[in-house]
Amino acid sequence: GQNLSSGNENISSEETINKTTYEFKIILLGSIAVGKTSILNRYITNSFSDKCGSTIKIDFKTKIMNINDNVRAKLHIWDTCGDEKFRAIARGYYKDAQGILLIYDITKRESFDSIINWLNEIRNNAPKNPVLFLVGNKTDLNKERQIPTQEGKIKAEDNGMLFTEVSAKNGDNIHILFEKICEAIMASLESSGELKPNKESNKILANFKDIDIEEKKRNNCFC
Protein backbone atom coordinates (compact mmCIF):
# COMPACT_ATOMS: atom_id res chain seq x y z
CA GLY A 1 0.00 0.00 0.00
CA GLN A 2 0.90 3.65 0.04
CA ASN A 3 3.06 5.15 2.75
CA LEU A 4 0.67 7.30 4.76
CA SER A 5 1.72 9.48 7.65
CA SER A 6 -0.50 11.13 10.21
CA GLY A 7 0.79 14.62 9.53
CA ASN A 8 2.08 15.60 12.95
CA GLU A 9 4.36 18.32 11.65
CA ASN A 10 3.53 21.90 10.70
CA ILE A 11 3.21 22.55 6.98
CA SER A 12 4.09 25.87 5.43
CA SER A 13 1.70 27.76 3.16
CA GLU A 14 3.97 27.11 0.19
CA GLU A 15 4.02 23.37 0.82
CA THR A 16 0.29 23.41 1.40
CA ILE A 17 -0.60 25.11 -1.84
CA ASN A 18 1.54 22.70 -3.86
CA LYS A 19 -0.06 19.56 -2.48
CA THR A 20 -3.06 17.87 -4.07
CA THR A 21 -5.81 17.67 -1.47
CA TYR A 22 -8.57 15.08 -1.25
CA GLU A 23 -11.39 15.38 1.26
CA PHE A 24 -12.92 12.28 2.82
CA LYS A 25 -15.86 11.98 5.18
CA ILE A 26 -15.59 9.18 7.73
CA ILE A 27 -18.32 8.25 10.22
CA LEU A 28 -17.90 6.35 13.50
CA LEU A 29 -20.83 4.10 14.37
CA GLY A 30 -21.53 1.63 17.15
CA SER A 31 -23.42 1.06 20.38
CA ILE A 32 -23.15 3.27 23.46
CA ALA A 33 -19.84 3.15 25.34
CA VAL A 34 -17.85 1.13 22.79
CA GLY A 35 -15.30 3.98 22.73
CA LYS A 36 -16.05 5.85 19.51
CA THR A 37 -15.08 9.25 20.89
CA SER A 38 -12.09 7.79 22.72
CA ILE A 39 -10.79 6.39 19.42
CA LEU A 40 -11.29 9.77 17.76
CA ASN A 41 -9.62 11.69 20.60
CA ARG A 42 -6.67 9.30 20.59
CA TYR A 43 -6.21 9.87 16.86
CA ILE A 44 -6.68 13.64 16.89
CA THR A 45 -4.98 14.67 20.13
CA ASN A 46 -3.23 11.47 21.25
CA SER A 47 -5.13 11.68 24.52
CA PHE A 48 -7.44 9.42 26.53
CA SER A 49 -9.81 10.03 29.43
CA ASP A 50 -11.49 7.40 31.58
CA LYS A 51 -14.01 10.04 32.62
CA CYS A 52 -15.68 10.54 29.22
CA GLY A 53 -19.46 10.39 29.07
CA SER A 54 -21.65 9.45 26.13
CA THR A 55 -21.73 11.55 22.98
CA ILE A 56 -24.80 13.71 22.70
CA LYS A 57 -26.11 13.70 19.13
CA ILE A 58 -23.17 14.33 16.75
CA ASP A 59 -19.70 15.87 16.90
CA PHE A 60 -16.92 16.12 14.32
CA LYS A 61 -13.23 16.78 14.03
CA THR A 62 -10.87 17.19 11.09
CA LYS A 63 -7.28 16.20 10.50
CA ILE A 64 -4.79 16.38 7.64
CA MET A 65 -3.11 13.13 6.66
CA ASN A 66 0.00 13.34 4.48
CA ILE A 67 -0.10 10.51 1.96
CA ASN A 68 3.14 11.34 0.16
CA ASP A 69 5.19 14.42 -0.78
CA ASN A 70 2.57 15.58 -3.27
CA VAL A 71 -0.74 14.31 -1.92
CA ARG A 72 -2.66 14.63 1.32
CA ALA A 73 -6.15 13.96 2.58
CA LYS A 74 -8.30 16.14 4.79
CA LEU A 75 -10.37 13.78 6.91
CA HIS A 76 -13.75 14.96 8.21
CA ILE A 77 -14.46 12.49 11.01
CA TRP A 78 -17.98 12.36 12.46
CA ASP A 79 -18.67 10.92 15.89
CA THR A 80 -22.24 9.75 16.45
CA CYS A 81 -24.35 8.87 19.46
CA GLY A 82 -25.03 5.15 19.87
CA ASP A 83 -28.36 5.73 21.61
CA GLU A 84 -31.31 4.35 19.66
CA LYS A 85 -33.29 7.60 19.89
CA PHE A 86 -30.54 9.53 18.09
CA ARG A 87 -30.16 7.09 15.18
CA ALA A 88 -32.65 9.00 13.05
CA ILE A 89 -30.44 12.08 13.39
CA ALA A 90 -27.34 10.11 12.42
CA ARG A 91 -28.96 8.71 9.28
CA GLY A 92 -28.76 12.09 7.58
CA TYR A 93 -24.96 11.99 7.83
CA TYR A 94 -24.50 8.65 6.06
CA LYS A 95 -25.36 9.74 2.54
CA ASP A 96 -22.05 11.36 1.52
CA ALA A 97 -19.68 9.27 3.66
CA GLN A 98 -16.80 7.56 1.87
CA GLY A 99 -15.77 5.55 4.92
CA ILE A 100 -17.57 4.10 7.94
CA LEU A 101 -15.96 2.66 11.06
CA LEU A 102 -18.26 0.15 12.77
CA ILE A 103 -16.98 -0.13 16.32
CA TYR A 104 -17.69 -2.69 19.03
CA ASP A 105 -16.28 -3.42 22.48
CA ILE A 106 -14.43 -6.76 22.57
CA THR A 107 -15.59 -7.21 26.20
CA LYS A 108 -19.31 -6.74 25.43
CA ARG A 109 -21.06 -9.38 23.37
CA GLU A 110 -24.16 -7.22 22.83
CA SER A 111 -22.11 -4.48 21.15
CA PHE A 112 -20.81 -7.06 18.65
CA ASP A 113 -24.22 -8.62 18.07
CA SER A 114 -25.65 -5.18 17.26
CA ILE A 115 -23.25 -4.79 14.29
CA ILE A 116 -25.81 -6.43 12.00
CA ASN A 117 -28.35 -3.73 12.92
CA TRP A 118 -25.82 -1.01 12.09
CA LEU A 119 -25.08 -2.71 8.77
CA ASN A 120 -28.79 -2.62 7.92
CA GLU A 121 -28.86 1.10 8.79
CA ILE A 122 -25.88 1.71 6.51
CA ARG A 123 -27.33 -0.26 3.62
CA ASN A 124 -30.56 1.73 3.84
CA ASN A 125 -29.00 5.17 4.25
CA ALA A 126 -25.40 5.26 3.01
CA PRO A 127 -23.94 5.59 -0.51
CA LYS A 128 -23.69 2.44 -2.59
CA ASN A 129 -20.08 1.61 -1.79
CA PRO A 130 -18.65 3.26 1.33
CA VAL A 131 -15.54 1.58 2.70
CA LEU A 132 -16.66 -0.37 5.77
CA PHE A 133 -14.19 -1.12 8.57
CA LEU A 134 -15.13 -3.35 11.51
CA VAL A 135 -13.17 -2.28 14.60
CA GLY A 136 -12.92 -4.16 17.89
CA ASN A 137 -11.93 -1.67 20.62
CA LYS A 138 -10.48 -2.15 24.13
CA THR A 139 -7.75 -4.72 23.47
CA ASP A 140 -6.18 -3.41 26.68
CA LEU A 141 -8.95 -5.39 28.44
CA ASN A 142 -8.00 -8.66 26.75
CA LYS A 143 -8.57 -10.69 29.94
CA GLU A 144 -12.24 -9.64 29.80
CA ARG A 145 -12.59 -10.43 26.09
CA GLN A 146 -15.91 -11.95 25.00
CA ILE A 147 -15.40 -11.80 21.22
CA PRO A 148 -12.42 -13.77 19.84
CA THR A 149 -10.38 -11.98 17.19
CA GLN A 150 -11.18 -14.70 14.67
CA GLU A 151 -14.92 -14.17 15.17
CA GLY A 152 -14.49 -10.48 14.37
CA LYS A 153 -12.50 -11.35 11.24
CA ILE A 154 -15.19 -13.74 10.03
CA LYS A 155 -17.96 -11.18 10.63
CA ALA A 156 -15.98 -8.64 8.60
CA GLU A 157 -15.25 -11.05 5.75
CA ASP A 158 -18.88 -12.18 5.56
CA ASN A 159 -20.04 -8.58 5.19
CA GLY A 160 -17.35 -7.16 2.91
CA MET A 161 -15.60 -5.17 5.64
CA LEU A 162 -12.00 -4.55 6.55
CA PHE A 163 -11.09 -5.56 10.10
CA THR A 164 -8.77 -4.63 12.94
CA GLU A 165 -8.66 -4.44 16.72
CA VAL A 166 -7.47 -1.36 18.60
CA SER A 167 -7.08 0.17 22.02
CA ALA A 168 -8.06 3.81 22.42
CA LYS A 169 -6.64 3.66 25.94
CA ASN A 170 -3.05 2.79 25.00
CA GLY A 171 -3.17 3.85 21.33
CA ASP A 172 -2.55 0.43 19.78
CA ASN A 173 -3.37 0.40 16.04
CA ILE A 174 -5.27 3.73 16.14
CA HIS A 175 -3.16 5.58 13.57
CA ILE A 176 -2.86 2.47 11.42
CA LEU A 177 -6.66 2.20 11.42
CA PHE A 178 -7.10 5.68 9.94
CA GLU A 179 -4.23 5.18 7.50
CA LYS A 180 -5.80 1.95 6.24
CA ILE A 181 -9.29 3.39 5.80
CA CYS A 182 -7.88 6.44 4.02
CA GLU A 183 -5.87 4.18 1.70
CA ALA A 184 -8.94 2.02 1.03
CA ILE A 185 -11.12 5.06 0.29
CA MET A 186 -8.55 6.37 -2.19
CA ALA A 187 -8.33 2.98 -3.91
CA SER A 188 -12.12 2.67 -4.06
CA LEU A 189 -12.64 6.15 -5.50
CA GLU A 190 -9.74 5.72 -7.91
CA SER A 191 -11.17 2.47 -9.30
CA SER A 192 -14.57 4.12 -9.79
CA GLY A 193 -13.07 7.24 -11.36
CA GLU A 194 -14.43 9.45 -8.57
CA LEU A 195 -11.13 10.49 -6.97
CA LYS A 196 -11.11 14.26 -7.51
CA PRO A 197 -8.87 16.81 -5.75
CA ASN A 198 -10.49 19.68 -3.90
CA LYS A 199 -8.82 22.84 -5.23
CA GLU A 200 -10.78 25.09 -2.87
CA SER A 201 -9.38 23.15 0.06
CA ASN A 202 -5.86 23.95 -1.11
CA LYS A 203 -6.64 27.67 -1.06
CA ILE A 204 -8.42 27.57 2.27
CA LEU A 205 -5.83 25.44 4.04
CA ALA A 206 -2.99 27.64 2.81
CA ASN A 207 -4.28 30.28 5.20
CA PHE A 208 -3.61 28.10 8.25
CA LYS A 209 -0.21 28.30 9.92
CA ASP A 210 -0.76 24.97 11.64
CA ILE A 211 -3.13 22.78 9.70
CA ASP A 212 -2.50 19.30 10.93
CA ILE A 213 -5.19 19.35 13.57
CA GLU A 214 -8.32 21.43 13.31
CA GLU A 215 -10.74 20.69 16.08
CA LYS A 216 -14.26 21.74 16.80
CA LYS A 217 -13.76 22.83 20.40
CA ARG A 218 -16.45 21.73 22.79
CA ASN A 219 -16.88 22.19 26.54
CA ASN A 220 -18.07 18.65 27.03
CA CYS A 221 -16.11 15.43 26.79
CA PHE A 222 -17.73 12.96 24.44
CA CYS A 223 -17.37 9.18 24.23
Side-chain angles (χ1 to χ4, degrees):
Q2 301 174 60
N3 181 23
L4 297 102
S5 66
S6 55
N8 291 325
E9 70 282 348
N10 292 345
I11 304 169
S12 72
S13 293
E14 186 177 351
E15 287 173 316
T16 298
I17 214 156
N18 289 332
K19 281 190 180 240
T20 300
T21 301
Y22 299 104
E23 295 201 43
F24 302 143
K25 180 177 178 181
I26 298 171
I27 297 178
L28 279 63
L29 297 178
S31 300
I32 293 174
V34 295
K36 296 184 294 295
T37 302
S38 294
I39 287 172
L40 184 53
N41 286 342
R42 174 61 75 181
Y43 178 57
I44 297 290
T45 65
N46 197 29
S47 64
F48 177 84
S49 173
D50 280 315
K51 297 179 181 179
C52 266
S54 292
T55 300
I56 301 168
K57 298 186 182 178
I58 295 191
D59 190 25
F60 84 96
K61 301 184 191 301
T62 65
K63 185 164 182 173
I64 302 298
M65 177 181 289
N66 291 316
I67 295 168
N68 56 44
D69 289 343
N70 302 309
V71 178
R72 65 182 182 187
K74 182 178 182 182
L75 308 183
H76 301 259
I77 309 169
W78 293 79
D79 180 17
T80 64
C81 178
D83 194 306
E84 180 71 37
K85 62 187 175 184
F86 290 118
R87 284 195 185 184
I89 297 171
R91 287 176 194 135
Y93 291 84
Y94 296 176
K95 61 182 180 181
D96 53 354
Q98 289 97 2
I100 297 177
L101 301 181
L102 265 173
I103 300 163
Y104 66 93
D105 178 343
I106 67 164
T107 72
K108 291 182 180 176
R109 168 62 59 179
E110 60 270 25
S111 73
F112 183 75
D113 291 342
S114 74
I115 291 298
I116 194 66
N117 296 328
W118 289 106
L119 279 170
N120 289 333
E121 290 270 330
I122 291 165
R123 285 165 182 153
N124 291 331
N125 297 283
K128 290 182 181 178
N129 294 304
V131 172
L132 301 180
F133 213 129
L134 184 62
V135 183
N137 186 31
K138 307 190 184 181
T139 54
D140 52 284
L141 299 177
N142 201 47
K143 290 181 180 178
E144 300 171 38
R145 177 189 287 273
Q146 292 185 5
I147 298 92
T149 301
Q150 188 61 25
E151 188 176 353
K153 285 182 180 177
I154 291 169
K155 174 78 78 176
E157 288 171 4
D158 287 348
N159 290 280
M161 296 185 281
L162 299 170
F163 175 77
T164 194
E165 291 184 337
V166 304
S167 170
K169 186 168 185 175
N170 62 31
D172 283 355
N173 282 339
I174 295 294
H175 278 81
I176 292 171
L177 165 64
F178 283 94
E179 288 169 5
K180 283 185 175 179
I181 193 167
C182 186
E183 187 175 74
I185 289 170
M186 288 195 69
S188 174
L189 293 176
E190 202 164 29
S191 66
S192 65
E194 296 176 29
L195 188 64
K196 296 180 176 66
N198 188 320
K199 294 179 182 178
E200 280 303 308
S201 184
N202 283 346
K203 294 175 187 174
I204 293 167
L205 292 173
N207 295 325
F208 285 90
K209 290 182 180 177
D210 179 359
I211 62 166
D212 345 13
I213 298 174
E214 298 160 56
E215 225 180 308
K216 189 176 183 185
K217 300 206 183 267
R218 307 292 283 264
N219 293 325
N220 298 346
C221 181
F222 298 101
C223 279

